[in-house]
Amino acid sequence: MEKQPTQFPDRAALVAHVKTLSPLRADDGVSETRGGRAAAEALLAAIDPAAYGHSRNYLDGAVTRLSPYIRHGIVSLNEVRNQALEMGDGKAIEKFIQELGWRDFWQRIYAQNPDWLWHDIEDYKTGFAADDYADTLPQDIAAGETDSAAMNYFISVLKTSGYLHNHARMYLAAYIVHWRRVKWQAGAVFFLAHLLDGDPASNNLSFQWVASTFANKPYFFNLENLQKFAGMEAPCDYHTNKFFGGSYDDLALKLFPDMEAL
Amino acid sequence: MSKLIWLHEDCLRATHQLFTHAQDPAHDKAANAVYIWDDAYMTKMHFGLKRRVFIYESLCELAVDIYAGDTIETLKDMQHRLGVDEIITGKTPNPALKSMMHGLRETVKVSAIADAPFVQMDSPPELRRFFKYWNKAKKNAFLYDGRP
Ligand SMILES: Cc1cc2nc3c(=O)[nH]c(=O)nc-3n(C[C@H](O)[C@H](O)[C@H](O)COP(=O)(O)OP(=O)(O)OC[C@H]3O[C@@H](n4cnc5c(N)ncnc54)[C@H](O)[C@@H]3O)c2cc1C
């Protein structure tokens, strides 16, 4: 049994070594995001819970990017909350602490009902049955070559950085499940393979929330919403994102013709 | 006899409470910490290269020895060779890791130590919808260490 090295002349040497340990993955790319506690502490010192409260839904909002570190226990949720408490009081940091609560919520479900992770917790509320959804992810989604420029942008960011803003995850998940009518499980595997923070509970249960198998209604969006929250980063013009155009009522009729009224 | 610390992907932090648990006043030497680089397990968990590099880099900042191999086989082998009587690890909701712990328990004591909780509650919350959970959790979630 051979002890593996933990000191390398540079990052490229470390990456080369990890590739030798992961022969099937050796052709994949690597994120610029660094692992380790030092990187996490730098992000922790820079959190801005008050700005988070009013900007977190925008792709350029004051989100922390702490998720890969929290996911792997490099920082605990407790530490992040304690740090937020030192930076502001009740109302201003409420939203931030509530979002940390989502992770705690999903982890508690994971511990209590691990069998929920890969199975529909409830039926789809979309008017479709599970069998109406495709089992596998279409190749154009995996390759980031869909008919939507915004979705291609999100897929490319996911694949190169291993991170996506929460709202971008919601858009892309909704696109996969509702516009392309693909089972949420296929989307969840795609995300897990690329996200640095990929977590069976946060990822799969969020997918089920989008799909409506763990929510009272499906999550979907329209172009106006996409432009408002993602337009500063992603290409969101009408011509390259046509099928998101229209009101929520129009889109609901198109996407879910057999759904009972919302 | 000695203790062995088994770090897995949910507890890559030197201040995790499992390290405190592993301190044995009877020994002046700290327990060894190991991470088992288990390619088959990581593939099963859908870990791509990005994630693997992130984890390896995180391990390099910790006082931990990395060994490549099947997790259970490698840990059992170490247990016999080093005369380990307790494996200390992080508590996890992950059923695959839990089943490894279960397998190890056939031959050795395994203690899975919980991380500091986000929020402490008197009774378990209802976990069907977030707001049922949050209505209970918010009582302590805004307090230092999540408790009064
Ligand atoms: C389809 C989909 C898949 C997702 N997959 C994952 C995943 O695999 N791993 C993961 O950690 N999160 C996942 N999330 C939740 C959320 O998108 C990310 O936690 C968040 O975007 C991470 O970025 P951040 O660290 O900048 O978050 P911030 O907004 O800065 O939040 C701080 C921390 O709070 C926690 N958090 C915030 N919002 C959520 C949330 N809605 N659910 C769970 N935890 C939250 C995270 O630990 C996060 O790091 C997913 C969401 C969706 C919609």
Side-chain angles (χ1 to χ4, degrees), chain A residues 47-53 55-64 96 165:
Chain A
I47 64 171
D48 187 347
Y52 182 91
S55 67
R56 69 185 185 94
N57 285 328
Y58 295 86
L59 257 62
D60 62 352
V63 296
T64 65
F96 181 72
H165 184 281

Side-chain angles (χ1 to χ4, degrees), chain A residues 118-133:
Chain A
W118 290 101
H119 298 111
D120 297 348
I121 298 171
E122 299 160 12
D123 287 338
Y124 282 84
K125 324 289 185 306
T126 52
F128 295 112
D131 286 349
D132 296 323
Y133 295 79

